[in-house]
């Protein structure tokens, strides 16, 4: 773009109210990274369902907006010169929700979303102008069910193949993923400009007869190498990465980030984080809980700081995804002081894999993962199962260490704790010998006496080897037992997902794990199960068409998930460089138990023709506390005089605290407001009658109501999960806080009374966003 063209564009932009609010230097930066493109009549400018990559401005001509791909559909709007589009994706991160085509020859300025997101938050006047447009269009979208259906259609049609691409047009992401083991270094390099290019491998037997297995676009290799330590192995990988003949990048300074698999994040981390001195300190502390893993993971971080000093690094924790487990699931029945003083509790592992396959399963089922009950089975040499309720892990089989739970290749899985005492006291074994026995000599290897490789055991079983068959039987029985118990814990199941080396490739194991569970809704189609060969990034349904529960095979992609998390953390960091969300103080509202009623239930409880009586307004516009109260009656007891909030809603919803769950004798799931499917019911008692609801009782998920203007200042998108730091008498960080954006909202975070008491929050408490925990794929 020439200087003359830039001046012309600047003059055109200054006629648009939004850009009149920009300083000259800010406007120059936007134009610098933008492109001008011409479109002929009928030519598509943006297509619905595509990633929102640009903020567009019509410079000359006009364009028409349709809800879908066809020209015959009803036109939603006409954009003339000076109109802009792409603001919805800028805010929500959703795919584009409409199809925009040139009505006549037109020129458009295409501004990378990232550039716009970086400039807007510090410009209060421009922020206000954009927020006004956002509010108008969001309001229309909420009122237009057809347009919302288009959004869902766009999500369903998103490509499912494994790919890695940047979140904006501004730059290319080149992420190096590292997974260091005690004597190995696994790596994967992902370049968003060449998503299909392969550059991954493994250096194993470090310190001995080291071997380097590499997979590249030009073929696979296996070579003997000199790798006396991890530093030598990493230098070898980096040299290969930049090799002039077969390397994947010209120079190390072209790498945009390094993502490290870190096994243990302790209680502190429920999300991937940018590595700094504080993070390194916490990884060292958690090393006491993972002495075989965290120190070597930390070694990789230290080496990268030395060898790639200017490249940011991100820690992706195996334990993070499981941090949503409730206390009753993660606590051992030991003296509570052991948890308080030494963090002895269940943590769970394989979290990156469980997170990835749960989201892929949801995409395959064309439903939000926050609307599903899933059981994910990661079956390999290491094996674990997770129960996931509407996006939150409620239980997992591994515990303080990866030893607990399923039978594995060489690990015993669940044993009587008294067994350890017996081995030491009666058989005279040392703790070191017991550790080796349970971790290295048990599981499939110990039971069979042959191998820890399931393929070898299946072959041996086919030939009649009794202990090979026994080992497989114990392995499958333990899987089946946990599936059944987790179905009970979830209160139902939408899909059972198999992944990992065994889960993906052994049809027999999948079949045996589901045998005898037809009455629980698990019906395998044996033909589809035997023929299943699932490509990376895809999913295959091996259940019978009549099976109430879908049974899926989803290849895991832990390295891909680490790369995505790394890229997401770095992008969020980049966008917030010019605005610090921690400087925005979010008022905290303490939400006591309350009820939202549907209109016919209002009449059933308080008399025919009765309408709710406003007592006092609430912080959220249009919401109010009512004079009316009802009593809650559960299987165990009652909670009296619970206030109703108005106005009436389309479905009755009861929000209680964990303490009140016990009083009532029910187990209410933690859910977002309105997400009531599968939740328990109870009896509501009013002044003129009672009603028995089948479902609708929840513990409300911590959440922040955000107006579009505040969303831009906070650099958050709709449905983000964030961590919020609360300072005060007892400073702490709330994780798993859901962001909800609407023009109807006023900025406010809601916690329940139990959470407020735990943090000793007062009426004037405020919080600040500490970090982004997760963002929808």
């Amino acid at each position: 773009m020439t200087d003359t063209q830039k001046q012309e564009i600047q003059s055109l932009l200054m006629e648009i109210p939004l850009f009149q609010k920009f300083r000259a230097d800010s406007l120059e930066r936007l134009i610098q990274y933008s492109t001008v493109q011409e479109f002929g009549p009928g030519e598509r400018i943006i297509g619905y369902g595509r990633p929102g990559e640009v903020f567009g401005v019509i410079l000359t001509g006009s364009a028409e907006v349709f809800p879908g791909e066809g020209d015959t559909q009803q036109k939603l709007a006409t954009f003339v010169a000076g109109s802009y589009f792409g603001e919805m994706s800028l805010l929500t991160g959703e795919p584009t929700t409409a199809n925009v085509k040139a009505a006549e020859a037109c020129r458009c300025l295409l501004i990378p979303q990232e550039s716009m997101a970086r400039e807007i938050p510090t410009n209060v006047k421009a922020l206000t102008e954009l927020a006004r447009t956002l509010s108008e269009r969001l309001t229309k979208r909420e009122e237009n069910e057809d347009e919302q259906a288009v959004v869902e259609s766009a999500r369903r049609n998103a490509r499912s193949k494994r790919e890695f691409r940047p979140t904006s047009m501004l730059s290319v992401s080149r992420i190096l993923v590292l997974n260091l083991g005690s004597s190995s270094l696994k790596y994967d390099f992902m370049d968003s400009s060449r998503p299909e290019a392969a550059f991954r491998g493994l250096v194993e037997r470090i310190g001995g007869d080291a071997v380097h297995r590499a997979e590249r676009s030009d073929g696979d290799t296996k070579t003997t190498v000199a790798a006396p330590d991890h530093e030598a192995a990493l230098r070898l990988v980096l040299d290969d990465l930049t090799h002039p003949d077969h390397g994947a990048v010209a120079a190390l300074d072209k790498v945009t980030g390094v993502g490290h698999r870190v096994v243990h994040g302790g209680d502190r981390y429920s999300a991937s984080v940018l590595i700094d001195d504080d993070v390194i300190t916490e990884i060292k502390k958690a090393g006491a809980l993972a002495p075989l893993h965290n120190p070597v993971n930390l070694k990789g971080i230290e080496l990268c700081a030395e060898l790639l000093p200017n490249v940011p690094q991100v820690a992706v924790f195996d334990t993070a995804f499981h941090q949503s487990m409730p206390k009753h699931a993660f606590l051992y029945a030991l003296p509570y002081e052991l948890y308080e003083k030494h963090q002895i509790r269940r943590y769970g592992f394989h979290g990156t894999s469980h997170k990835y396959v749960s989201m892929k399963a949801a995409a395959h089922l064309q439903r939000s993962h926050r609307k599903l009950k899933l059981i994910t089975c990661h079956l390999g040499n290491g094996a674990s199962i997770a129960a996931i309720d509407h996006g939150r892990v409620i239980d997992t089989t591994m515990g303080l260490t990866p030893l607990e739970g399923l039978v594995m290749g060489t690990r015993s899985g669940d044993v009587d704790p008294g067994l350890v005492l017996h081995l030491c006291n009666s058989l005279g074994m040392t703790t070191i010998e017991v550790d080796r026995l349970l971790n290295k000599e048990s599981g499939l290897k110990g039971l069979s006496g042959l191998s820890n490789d399931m393929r070898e055991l299946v072959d041996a079983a086919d030939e009649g080897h009794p202990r090979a068959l026994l080992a497989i039987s114990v392995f499958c029985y333990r899987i089946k037992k946990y599936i059944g118990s987790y179905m009970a814990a979830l209160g139902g199941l939408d899909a059972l997902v198999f992944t990992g080396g065994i889960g993906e490739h052994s049809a027999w194991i999948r079949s045996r794990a589901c045998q005898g569970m037809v009455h629980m809704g698990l019906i395998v189609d044996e033909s589809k199960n035997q023929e299943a060969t699932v490509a990376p990034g895809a999913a295959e349904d091996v259940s019978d068409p009549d099976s109430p529960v879908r049974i899926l095979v989803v290849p895991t992609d832990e390295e891909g998930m680490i790369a995505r998390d790394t890229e997401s953390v770095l992008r969020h960091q980049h966008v917030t460089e010019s605005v610090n969300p921690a400087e925005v103080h979010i008022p905290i509202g303490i939400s006591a138990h309350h009820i939202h009623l549907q209109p016919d239930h209002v009449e059933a409880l308080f008399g025919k023709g009765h309408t709710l009586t406003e007592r006092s307004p609430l912080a959220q516009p249009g919401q109010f506390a009512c004079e009316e109260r009802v009593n809650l009656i559960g299987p165990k007891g009652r909670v009296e005089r619970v206030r109703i909030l108005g106005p009436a809603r389309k479905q009755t919803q009861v929000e209680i605290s964990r303490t009140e769950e016990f009083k009532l004798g029910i187990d209410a799931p933690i859910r977002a407001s309105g997400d009531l499917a599968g939740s328990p019911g109870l009896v509501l008692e009013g002044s003129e009658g009672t009603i028995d609801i089948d479902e609708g009782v929840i513990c409300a998920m911590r959440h922040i109501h955000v107006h579009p203007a505040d969303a831009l200042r906070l650099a958050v998108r709709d449905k983000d999960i964030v961590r919020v730091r609360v300072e005060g008498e007892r400073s702490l960080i709330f994780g798993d806080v859901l962001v909800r954006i609407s023009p109807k909202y006023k900025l406010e975070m809601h916690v329940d009374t139990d959470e407020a008491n735990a943090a000793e929050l007062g009426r004037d408490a405020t919080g600040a966003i500490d970090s982004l925990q997760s963002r929808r794929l």
Side-chain angles (χ1 to χ4, degrees):
M1 192 184 305
T2 66
D3 290 341
T4 302
Q5 289 173 322
K6 289 179 181 179
Q7 291 173 3
E8 177 195 0
I9 292 169
Q10 187 165 353
S11 298
L12 290 170
L13 292 182
M14 289 306 296
E15 296 178 5
I16 302 171
L18 172 64
F19 294 100
Q20 290 170 359
K21 320 298 183 185
F22 280 74
R23 299 187 311 272
D25 60 333
S26 181
L27 204 55
E28 287 175 7
R29 284 194 295 270
L30 286 181
I31 295 171
Q32 176 185 356
Y33 290 112
S34 303
T35 58
V36 175
Q37 191 168 340
E38 297 185 358
F39 298 89
E43 190 174 352
R44 182 181 300 171
I45 301 173
I46 61 171
Y48 87 99
R50 304 301 303 151
E53 296 177 333
V54 295
F55 185 91
V57 183
I58 306 291
L59 298 176
T60 60
S62 63
E64 296 176 326
V65 185
F66 298 91
E69 291 190 89
D71 295 324
T72 59
Q73 298 190 44
Q74 181 180 0
K75 183 173 66 176
L76 296 176
T78 298
F79 287 160
V80 297
S83 300
Y84 49 82
F85 53 88
E87 78 293 329
M88 202 77 75
S89 292
L90 176 68
L91 171 65
T92 66
E94 293 177 346
T96 50
T97 58
N99 193 55
V100 180
K101 291 185 177 182
E104 57 182 320
C106 66
R107 285 196 308 152
C108 294
L109 180 71
L110 303 180
I111 307 170
Q113 285 275 24
E114 185 177 308
S115 297
M116 198 68 181
R118 189 171 57 240
E119 297 294 341
I120 278 284
T122 55
N123 188 333
V124 177
K125 293 181 179 179
L127 183 69
T128 303
E129 176 65 25
L130 182 60
R132 181 187 62 77
T133 303
L134 284 166
S135 297
E136 291 175 357
R137 294 182 182 178
L138 278 171
T139 299
K140 289 180 179 179
R141 190 178 76 166
E142 289 177 358
E143 294 171 352
N144 190 330
E145 292 183 358
D146 290 337
E147 188 173 348
Q148 185 60 35
V150 170
V151 175
E152 296 302 321
S153 176
R155 291 174 180 161
R156 287 195 295 269
N157 286 300
R159 288 179 291 179
S160 63
K161 65 180 182 179
R162 184 183 194 241
E163 57 182 58
F164 182 69
R165 57 177 179 240
T167 56
S168 81
M169 295 173 62
L170 184 63
S171 61
V172 172
S173 293
R174 298 186 179 96
I175 305 297
L176 175 62
V177 176
L178 294 178
N179 179 359
L180 275 71
S182 58
S183 61
S184 65
L185 189 161
K186 189 175 184 181
Y187 64 91
D188 198 341
F189 183 75
M190 300 187 190
D191 184 341
S192 63
S193 67
R194 298 189 303 150
E196 303 303 325
F199 192 94
R200 60 184 68 93
L202 170 69
V203 182
E204 54 188 342
R205 298 204 291 271
I206 295 173
D209 299 325
V211 173
H212 181 200
R213 304 174 188 272
E215 178 186 341
R216 307 188 188 98
S217 297
D218 60 350
D220 301 347
T221 62
K222 176 183 176 182
T223 55
T224 301
V225 295
D229 53 31
H230 284 88
E231 180 176 352
L234 181 56
R235 286 184 182 276
L236 182 152
V237 169
L238 296 179
D239 287 344
D240 227 30
L241 183 65
T242 56
H243 194 281
D245 295 330
H246 57 253
V249 65
L252 291 179
D253 60 6
K254 300 298 182 183
V255 177
T256 57
V258 180
H260 294 268
R261 180 203 179 206
V262 180
V263 167
H264 220 303
D267 274 330
R268 178 72 180 271
Y269 297 112
S270 55
S272 302
V273 295
L274 189 69
I275 295 173
D276 57 19
D277 290 342
D278 289 340
V279 173
I280 288 174
T281 299
E282 292 299 323
I283 293 174
K284 288 179 180 177
K285 287 181 182 178
L289 300 172
L292 300 179
H293 300 93
N294 271 35
V296 72
N297 298 154
L298 192 58
K299 179 67 174 176
I301 293 169
E302 293 169 344
L303 287 172
C304 285
E306 177 186 344
L307 301 176
L308 296 88
N310 299 316
V311 178
Q313 302 184 75
V314 171
V316 181
F317 299 97
D318 266 13
T319 51
F321 187 52
H322 301 301
Q323 284 297 296
S324 60
M325 278 194 294
K327 269 191 173 181
H328 65 255
F330 73 65
L331 282 178
Y332 291 112
L334 298 171
Y336 193 74
E337 292 77 12
L338 289 173
Y339 165 61
E340 288 187 306
K341 295 179 181 179
H342 305 290
Q343 294 78 53
I344 293 177
R345 50 157 285 186
R346 302 180 68 250
Y347 289 95
F349 300 89
H350 292 145
T352 305
S353 176
H354 288 293
K355 178 181 179 180
Y356 175 81
V357 299
S358 68
M359 290 184 170
K360 274 296 179 183
H364 177 80
L365 295 171
Q366 300 178 4
R367 295 175 62 185
S368 165
H369 74 288
R370 299 195 184 281
K371 299 287 186 180
L372 293 169
K373 294 177 183 286
L374 301 172
I375 294 175
T376 52
C377 304
H378 179 106
L379 307 179
N381 192 51
S384 65
I385 298 179
I388 305 171
D389 185 9
H390 289 61
R392 298 169 57 87
V393 175
I394 64 164
D395 207 348
T396 188
T397 54
M398 286 181 169
L400 176 73
T401 74
L403 183 59
E404 186 180 350
L406 300 177
V407 172
M408 300 174 232
T410 61
R411 297 177 194 146
S412 65
D414 293 339
V415 296
D416 180 351
L419 170 67
V420 177
L421 301 177
H422 177 73
L423 293 174
C424 293
N425 297 333
S426 299
L427 302 185
M429 297 179 70
T430 66
T431 55
I432 294 176
E433 290 171 333
V434 172
D435 182 281
R436 179 170 181 80
L437 174 75
L438 297 179
N439 279 291
K440 302 292 185 181
E441 299 171 356
S442 299
L444 295 173
K445 179 182 177 181
L447 283 169
S448 69
L450 292 176
S451 172
N452 63 309
D453 191 316
M454 180 60 76
R455 293 166 296 186
E456 294 180 18
L457 295 183
V458 169
D459 289 341
D462 284 340
E463 295 174 2
H465 194 290
R467 284 176 55 187
L469 185 57
L470 175 64
I472 294 170
S473 296
V474 174
F475 180 80
C476 293
Y477 175 75
R478 191 75 59 86
I479 295 169
K480 183 185 297 186
K481 185 168 73 170
Y482 268 113
I483 290 172
S485 65
Y486 283 175
M487 288 182 75
L490 287 165
L493 187 64
D494 293 301
L496 174 66
V497 186
F498 289 98
T499 193
I502 298 172
E504 294 168 26
H505 300 113
S506 179
W508 185 36
I509 298 300
R510 294 193 297 263
S511 179
R512 285 201 58 162
C514 297
Q515 281 178 16
M517 302 182 78
V518 172
H519 65 293
M520 299 178 74
L522 295 173
I523 310 173
V524 176
D525 184 315
E526 291 299 345
S527 177
K528 288 195 292 186
N529 186 40
Q530 291 294 330
E531 296 171 1
T533 54
V534 191
E540 189 159 340
D541 190 329
V542 298
S543 52
D544 187 271
D546 294 329
S547 178
V549 177
R550 307 326 297 164
I551 303 169
L552 305 178
V553 183
V554 180
T556 192
D557 185 5
E558 293 176 275
E559 287 72 31
M561 194 73 226
I562 292 172
R564 288 181 179 90
D565 269 18
T566 300
E567 200 261 359
S568 178
V569 169
L570 295 180
R571 290 289 177 188
H572 190 259
Q573 176 75 14
H574 186 57
V575 168
T576 57
E577 282 177 352
S578 59
V579 54
N580 184 4
E583 294 177 352
V584 181
H585 297 287
I586 303 170
I588 297 179
I590 301 170
S591 181
H593 56 212
H594 61 270
I595 300 170
H596 302 280
L597 289 177
Q598 59 196 61
D600 59 322
H601 286 175
V602 173
E603 294 190 352
L605 293 167
F606 301 104
K608 189 170 181 60
H610 188 90
T611 57
L612 295 174
T613 308
E614 182 173 348
R615 175 178 178 269
S616 57
L618 300 175
Q620 293 306 310
Q623 305 292 303
F624 54 87
C626 302
E627 294 287 356
E628 292 83 359
R629 297 174 184 248
V630 300
N631 301 323
L632 309 181
I633 305 172
K636 180 177 180 292
R638 300 165 60 96
V639 175
E640 304 281 347
R641 296 178 57 75
V642 179
R643 192 170 300 281
I644 297 168
L645 302 186
R649 293 190 178 183
K650 64 180 181 181
Q651 187 174 3
T652 292
Q653 175 175 303
V654 180
E655 297 183 32
I656 59 175
S657 68
R658 285 295 191 196
T659 302
E660 290 163 335
E661 279 187 293
F662 181 77
K663 290 181 181 179
L664 293 166
I666 61 176
D667 186 12
I670 298 174
R671 297 275 184 83
S673 180
D675 184 6
L676 308 179
S679 60
L682 44 62
V683 175
L684 304 180
E685 182 181 68
S687 59
E688 298 295 328
T690 62
I691 57 172
D692 189 346
I693 59 173
D694 294 328
E695 63 179 18
V697 185
I698 64 171
C699 290
M701 186 177 183
R702 293 184 287 266
H703 58 277
I704 308 174
H705 292 286
V706 184
H707 187 273
D710 294 311
L712 292 170
R713 288 195 300 144
L714 292 166
V716 294
R717 296 175 178 176
D718 195 38
K719 304 297 191 300
D720 276 355
I721 304 294
V722 298
R723 289 155 45 97
V724 175
R725 183 184 299 276
V726 178
E727 303 293 346
E729 293 295 323
R730 187 177 181 184
S731 298
L732 55 75
I733 292 177
F734 285 115
D736 294 319
V737 183
L738 174 68
V739 173
R740 301 173 59 193
I741 297 173
S742 170
K744 299 176 183 178
Y745 292 156
K746 177 182 177 183
L747 183 64
E748 186 180 38
M749 176 176 168
H750 284 181
V751 299
D752 69 23
T753 50
D754 286 350
E755 294 163 337
N757 291 336
E760 299 179 10
L761 299 179
R763 287 191 174 184
D764 297 324
T766 62
I769 290 180
D770 176 79
S771 59
L772 175 68
Q773 185 170 325
S774 69
R775 175 165 286 168
R776 289 180 298 176
L777 284 177

